[in-house]
Amino acid sequence: MKGGIRYHPEVELNEVNALAQLMTWKSAVANIPYGGAKGGIGCNPRDLSPTELERLTRVFTQKIHDVIGPHLDIPAPDMGTNAQTMAWILDEYSKFHGYTPAVVTGKPVDLGGSLGREAATGRGVLYATEALLKDHNLSIRGQTFVVQGFGNVGSWASKLIHEKGGKIKAVSDVTGAIKNNSGIDITALNEHVRMTGGVKGFEGANPLDAAALLAEDCDVLIPAALGGVINGETAKDVSAKFIVEAANHPTDPVADEILAKRGVIILPDIYANCGGVTVSYFEWVQNIQGFPWEEEKVNTNLKKYMEKAYLSIKSTCQTHNCSHRMGAFSLGVGRVAKATLLRGWEA
């Protein structure tokens, strides 16, 4: 099984169960050999010191060390966690089982992590967006983008889209939102965020009401923060032609219907943000083999997996005459169902 561990105040059992189920379908859509898992701690990591975070992580690992493992359940970073968190889990797990780098992915490269893993989810968003736009005879260059959430995924997606010639008009994070109709210099913004901890106060753009960000006029909207932000209330104001779900379940079912009636095309989360789990798979493979890959190989293989998955979703959509979300879920559930039957588990 495979899935992230998140540290966030709103972590609770039902959310973790739902996210684990999404990971099952996401792995199947990406066509990688994992079931879904998820974990988390209800806390605000911003309120904790590095020492407190380490103690919390190590005690958590002590409690779950017998249910995780390289052939059982392989954690990875999620909201509020990072490579350092994985390093602590690896070290604590190794006290019980011996040094086992394949127990977690998203580790520091010095501890067996994969080159390209930090950018993987954001890079996957880029490849997914390119595949979608290509289907409509468009490219990244010349399109306008709004990115909600400038954490790991949103910042990498923005950087890579910016490098491809896309115009990032507005972005937001927990500190606020900013806008520049001429396009935001993402390189300068990343440096500002590194220095100040958030997008607020960036001199190369104007302040924007965060609540109005989703309604900004653009070609592609990329929600890359919490789930449920596009709902029955906010969906009616969305002006984007395409939505690429970099976050987990950012669009609720009511919003889905509203946007579908208006012809907005949504690339669902279980495909659009599967770059992270795909490169986590590559990292696990490298650990099992004891043979690291060059970053170019990681990125080339990620692009192949993302393009193949998009073509599989497109084929399913054509077969069933359905939306991308229904096509992706049909593909994922269908692959799991086929494997279940082949193993003789049918009722």
Side-chain angles (χ1 to χ4, degrees), residues 40-53:
I41 299 176
C43 68
N44 188 344
R46 286 174 169 262
D47 294 340
L48 301 175
S49 69
T51 302
E52 288 171 325
L53 283 170

Side-chain angles (χ1 to χ4, degrees), residues 155-219:
S155 61
W156 273 107
S158 299
K159 178 180 185 294
L160 296 167
I161 287 168
H162 178 68
E163 289 173 356
K164 286 275 189 174
K167 183 191 291 185
I168 312 287
K169 287 182 58 180
V171 302
S172 69
D173 65 7
V174 292
T175 66
I178 56 172
K179 173 185 176 181
N180 184 337
N181 284 331
S182 299
I184 295 170
D185 182 343
I186 300 299
T187 304
L189 178 58
N190 273 322
E191 181 60 21
H192 172 81
V193 171
R194 189 183 69 81
M195 297 292 291
T196 67
V199 303
K200 184 179 180 181
F202 178 59
E203 294 182 356
N206 298 315
L208 174 69
D209 179 9
L213 184 93
L214 296 174
E216 277 296 312
D217 183 44
C218 64
D219 297 310

Side-chain angles (χ1 to χ4, degrees), residues 5 14 32 44 54 98 107 143 150 155 163 210 330:
I5 291 179
N14 288 333
I32 55 180
N44 188 344
E54 180 176 355
K107 304 178 292 295
Q143 304 303 304
F150 203 71
S155 61
E163 289 173 356
S330 297

Side-chain angles (χ1 to χ4, degrees), residues 28 53 68 133 164 176 225 246 308 327 341:
L53 283 170
I68 62 173
L133 293 175
K164 286 275 189 174
K308 284 176 68 176
L341 291 171

Side-chain angles (χ1 to χ4, degrees), residues 15 36-37 40 49 62 66 102 104 112 131 137 191 242 264 267 311 313 330:
E15 180 203 41
S49 69
Q62 290 166 16
D66 57 342
V104 290
N137 299 313
E191 181 60 21
F242 305 97
V264 178
L267 209 51
L311 292 174
I313 292 169
S330 297

Side-chain angles (χ1 to χ4, degrees), residues 71-307:
H71 298 290
L72 289 173
D73 182 337
I74 308 155
D78 201 297
M79 192 177 299
T81 58
N82 55 26
Q84 179 60 73
T85 317
M86 297 303 107
W88 291 328
I89 294 174
L90 164 59
D91 184 67
E92 197 64 29
Y93 179 88
S94 296
K95 292 177 182 177
F96 295 92
H97 303 277
Y99 183 61
T100 315
V103 67
V104 290
T105 58
K107 304 178 292 295
V109 173
D110 291 339
L111 291 177
S114 176
L115 295 170
R117 174 62 186 86
E118 183 187 354
T121 308
R123 192 176 297 278
V125 170
L126 168 72
Y127 293 152
T129 305
E130 283 183 322
L132 176 65
L133 293 175
K134 183 180 177 182
D135 232 9
H136 293 81
N137 299 313
L138 299 169
S139 66
I140 296 288
R141 184 174 296 279
Q143 304 303 304
T144 56
F145 297 79
V146 167
V147 181
Q148 191 221 21
F150 203 71
N152 173 270
V153 179
S155 61
W156 273 107
S158 299
K159 178 180 185 294
L160 296 167
I161 287 168
H162 178 68
E163 289 173 356
K164 286 275 189 174
K167 183 191 291 185
I168 312 287
K169 287 182 58 180
V171 302
S172 69
D173 65 7
V174 292
T175 66
I178 56 172
K179 173 185 176 181
N180 184 337
N181 284 331
S182 299
I184 295 170
D185 182 343
I186 300 299
T187 304
L189 178 58
N190 273 322
E191 181 60 21
H192 172 81
V193 171
R194 189 183 69 81
M195 297 292 291
T196 67
V199 303
K200 184 179 180 181
F202 178 59
E203 294 182 356
N206 298 315
L208 174 69
D209 179 9
L213 184 93
L214 296 174
E216 277 296 312
D217 183 44
C218 64
D219 297 310
V220 184
L221 172 63
I222 302 179
L226 285 170
V229 294
I230 304 175
N231 51 42
E233 287 298 310
T234 58
K236 61 181 182 292
D237 298 322
V238 170
S239 61
K241 305 178 187 73
F242 305 97
I243 296 175
V244 179
E245 295 185 335
N248 287 319
H249 58 83
T251 311
D252 74 13
V254 175
D256 235 4
E257 289 189 22
I258 293 170
L259 294 166
K261 288 175 182 175
R262 289 174 41 203
V264 178
I265 297 170
I266 302 174
L267 209 51
D269 52 355
I270 62 167
Y271 165 66
N273 67 30
C274 74
V277 70
T278 303
V279 175
S280 274
Y281 167 56
F282 298 161
E283 180 177 331
W284 178 77
V285 168
Q286 293 169 70
N287 292 157
I288 295 295
Q289 293 179 332
F291 187 80
W293 296 359
E294 296 292 334
E295 186 169 357
E296 183 182 359
K297 180 176 179 178
V298 173
N299 294 339
T300 299
N301 279 302
L302 173 59
K303 187 171 187 178
K304 286 179 182 176
Y305 270 74
M306 295 299 296
E307 289 176 346

